[in-house]
Amino acid sequence: MTGSGLMIIFLVVIAIIVIAFLLSFVPIGLWISAISAGVNVGIFSLVGMRLRRVKPKRVIEPMIKAHKAGIKVTTNQLESHFLAGGNVDRVVDALIAAQRADINLTFERCAAIDLAGRDVLEAVQMSVNPKVIETPFINGVAMDGIEVKAKSRITVRANIERLVGGAGEDTIVARVGEGIVSTIGSSEKHTKVLENPDMISQTVLSKGLDSGTAFEILSIDIADVDIGKNIGADLQTEQAVADKNIAQAKAEERRAMAVAQEQEMKARVEEMRAKVVEAESKVPLAFAKALENGNIGVSDYYNLKNVEADTNMRDSINKMTDPTREDNE
């Protein structure tokens, strides 16, 4: 094979590689689809998207969808929203749904809602088909002390104007629960709540609980009402038990003080007895000293001893004839 033949083969291979690279870099098929759908987009615009690291398919396909639905958006708007991290396809679907539902929703508002982290398509659908939020049983206590449990269903519709910065479903449920507790608590008797459960919904609905939220409350319906515990009786019982415990504690304190005082008196008695014993121990010394000094005679001493012996004998006889006397002593 001659050198010219090899050169031709080499050039053909290079041409094939260049064409393959161009076909992979330039989305020819997507460009043809856009032109056939009536979307005026240049081939160099698609190449520019590649260079800006934007997937042309993520922009052109929603652009075709919007064009077929009669919504005027530009590739620059869709591309900028994609670069900002938004979901271009969901935004276009939301715009189409809003147009079909005759809801005034601009691309800028829709893109802002999407970038705020909310599902804008779900919000538009909720504006058309309101959502029902069911709360758990909420407990309230009437003025007569009876606990009343109420479950409600809240029908809400998305408020497109307040989706950005508005509170969510949890705030709605919390506010409705607070209103139910307040309404039950202001009722004089629990029977009134059972007779007119719609009183709760009317009172709660009149408070404008949807202010500052991303929803508009259409209705609040009481789904179920039940009777709970007799909270007033339980509180009175607990108070009675607490009062009894306090009284028992005070009585125990007084008993302990009485026992301590009794022990103190016994200690004093023993102390006085010790003093008596100590005084009695000094009597023999006093007698001895009196005998030594001649103040008394021996006969006087013996007479005193005889008197003591007679006294002891009489005490012994009395104890034998009257046993209770010994116990009393």
Side-chain angles (χ1 to χ4, degrees), residues 49-62:
M49 292 181 188
R50 290 284 193 188
L51 295 176
R52 290 188 291 273
R53 297 183 179 181
V54 176
K55 296 181 179 179
K57 185 177 181 181
R58 296 288 184 87
V59 175
I60 298 303
E61 288 185 353

Side-chain angles (χ1 to χ4, degrees), residues 130-286:
K131 180 179 180 181
V132 177
I133 304 173
E134 185 170 343
T135 65
F137 272 108
I138 299 171
N139 302 339
V141 181
M143 296 177 67
D144 58 356
I146 304 299
E147 181 184 28
V148 180
K149 301 178 181 179
K151 179 189 289 186
S152 64
R153 291 190 177 95
I154 312 166
T155 305
V156 296
R157 179 173 59 193
N159 192 328
I160 302 297
E161 299 298 326
R162 294 203 302 254
L163 275 178
V164 179
E169 295 182 10
D170 294 338
T171 302
I172 293 289
V173 173
R175 290 181 179 180
V176 171
E178 181 182 356
I180 291 175
V181 172
S182 176
T183 305
I184 295 175
S186 61
S187 301
E188 295 182 358
K189 295 183 179 180
H190 69 284
T191 53
K192 290 186 177 180
V193 180
L194 298 178
E195 292 173 358
N196 301 308
D198 58 334
M199 175 184 64
I200 300 176
S201 59
Q202 292 174 2
T203 304
V204 174
L205 192 61
S206 63
K207 292 184 178 181
L209 302 179
D210 54 2
S211 62
T213 66
F215 303 96
E216 178 185 355
I217 297 178
L218 301 178
S219 66
I220 300 175
D221 304 309
I222 303 301
D224 191 9
V225 179
D226 197 4
I227 298 297
K229 299 179 181 179
N230 191 336
I231 303 298
D234 291 343
L235 292 176
Q236 291 178 358
T237 302
E238 293 177 0
Q239 185 63 41
V241 172
D243 293 341
K244 184 190 73 172
N245 293 335
I246 293 173
Q248 288 179 346
K250 290 182 178 180
E252 184 66 22
E253 182 182 359
R254 289 194 298 269
R255 189 190 70 82
M257 292 179 63
V259 171
Q261 189 175 5
E262 180 185 3
Q263 296 298 324
E264 183 180 357
M265 295 304 295
K266 287 182 179 180
R268 289 182 180 180
V269 169
E270 293 298 328
E271 182 181 358
M272 297 303 294
R273 286 179 179 177
K275 291 181 179 180
V276 171
V277 171
E278 181 182 1
E280 289 177 349
S281 66
K282 295 179 180 181
V283 172
L285 296 176

